[in-house]
Amino acid sequence: MRIAVTGATGKVGGEVARLLTIEADGEGRLRLIVRDAARAPREPGAEIAVADFSDAAACRAAFADVDALLLVSAGESADRIEQHRTAITAAAEAGVGHIVYTSFLGASPSAEFTLARDHGATEQLLRDSGVAWTFLRDSFYADVLLDFAGEDRVIRGPAGVGRCAYVARADVAEVAARILRDPAPWAGRALDLTGPVAVTLGEAALLMTRARGAEYEYVDETLEEARASRAPYGAPDWQVDAWISTYTAIGSGELDVVSGDVELVLGRAPRTLEETVADPL
């Protein structure tokens, strides 16, 4: 069985590659698909293929003879859905057997988190592709809270007292690796990957303080404050809307979901927020 992993230079894709290498069943059975070969992880026995999601021919070549493919969603961009369309069409044309896609919790055209709408559209492309699929609907990553806090260790955004069960990147990677090894039982399933408990950002800051031995804080912003505080970055409107909707999606209650799907796949409870931020991926 040949498994291919896109996004192998990233946090999740790279960890999936590492996990699959540990149990590799022979030379050339794992293919790492990257945009820059110089940055590809050097995993023993793994093939390296170079392809960008916007290049249909390169994707078809990279996906050839692949039984199971991890399709890590493209980076945030205005044309992300079109990139996904190109990659999925290429996978179908190349005869890929099964696609595991990193989606988002509550992915749909009407999701409060604007980027989850991209994921909803991509899920539909996969349903229509004729290729067997599994959706990993990840909650927000607990690891990313450290990035949100930044050097001053303050998380700012209009989330109020909304709750989210932040998931560890490492758990998502482990779930993906487990399914890629034997995808058939998971065909046609959308798995909600969350942490074990939903917390407010204020509570998350306290847990981060406890786990890391340095004080973290959450500052609840109004929508106007959130837009003003992000204006200096000069980002396009769609991206600013995505940044702000990260918090409004939490505040709306849409992400107040605790799922047992991590445990269903792995046979153990998901990592806690404290465990994750103490040792982030």
Side-chain angles (χ1 to χ4, degrees):
M1 179 173 179
R2 178 171 279 108
I3 299 172
V5 176
T6 72
T9 60
K11 296 289 181 74
V12 171
E15 178 65 5
V16 171
R18 187 189 71 81
L19 291 169
L20 290 174
T21 299
I22 293 171
E23 298 185 14
D25 59 357
E27 190 85 13
R29 307 310 295 174
L30 176 62
R31 182 177 298 161
L32 307 183
I33 301 173
V34 298
R35 289 180 295 174
D36 180 357
R39 296 182 57 228
R42 302 302 169 185
E43 299 293 353
E47 301 173 346
I48 305 298
V50 177
D52 186 287
F53 284 173
S54 61
D55 186 334
C59 284
R60 281 194 297 272
F63 298 156
D65 303 317
V66 167
D67 300 294
L69 170 68
L70 177 64
L71 188 68
V72 177
S73 56
E76 298 175 11
S77 68
D79 67 342
R80 179 156 71 161
I81 296 173
E82 288 309 309
Q83 290 185 52
H84 289 172
R85 187 190 308 276
T86 299
I88 291 166
T89 300
E93 291 172 349
V96 170
H98 193 117
I99 296 175
V100 178
Y101 172 63
T102 57
S103 186
F104 188 79
L105 190 67
S108 78
S110 60
E112 173 69 22
F113 179 44
T114 58
L115 298 181
R117 302 171 193 173
D118 292 355
H119 289 294
T122 302
E123 287 186 359
Q124 190 57 52
L125 291 173
L126 282 162
R127 291 188 187 95
D128 295 340
S129 70
V131 180
W133 52 263
T134 304
F135 303 148
L136 306 185
R137 290 179 171 170
D138 311 338
S139 186
F140 284 125
Y141 295 141
D143 318 58
V144 174
L145 290 174
L146 297 171
D147 299 322
F148 289 172
E151 292 184 1
D152 63 356
R153 299 190 297 277
V154 179
I155 301 171
R156 296 178 174 87
V161 294
R163 294 180 176 274
C164 180
Y166 302 92
V167 67
R169 278 191 183 115
D171 282 345
V172 172
E174 194 172 338
V175 166
R178 185 71 59 87
I179 291 173
L180 287 163
R181 293 186 194 108
D182 184 20
W186 307 99
R189 299 183 67 169
L191 303 174
D192 290 342
L193 304 186
T194 75
V197 62
V199 297
T200 68
L201 277 172
E203 291 167 344
L206 291 173
L207 294 170
M208 293 164 72
T209 297
R210 183 183 306 162
R212 296 181 64 84
E215 186 172 355
Y216 285 79
E217 180 184 0
Y218 168 59
V219 174
D220 188 27
E221 294 180 314
T222 65
L223 288 174
E224 293 75 17
E225 289 169 340
R227 196 162 293 278
S229 68
R230 288 151 179 81
Y233 294 101
D237 287 346
W238 70 264
Q239 191 161 41
V240 174
D241 290 343
W243 290 343
I244 294 173
S245 70
T246 299
Y247 296 92
T248 58
I250 296 170
S252 72
E254 278 191 11
L255 303 182
D256 188 358
V257 175
V258 176
S259 166
D261 286 346
V262 168
E263 185 165 7
L264 177 67
V265 177
L266 301 182
R268 62 160 177 82
R271 292 169 172 86
T272 66
L273 189 151
E274 300 101 302
E275 291 169 332
T276 305
V277 299
D279 184 25
L281 188 61

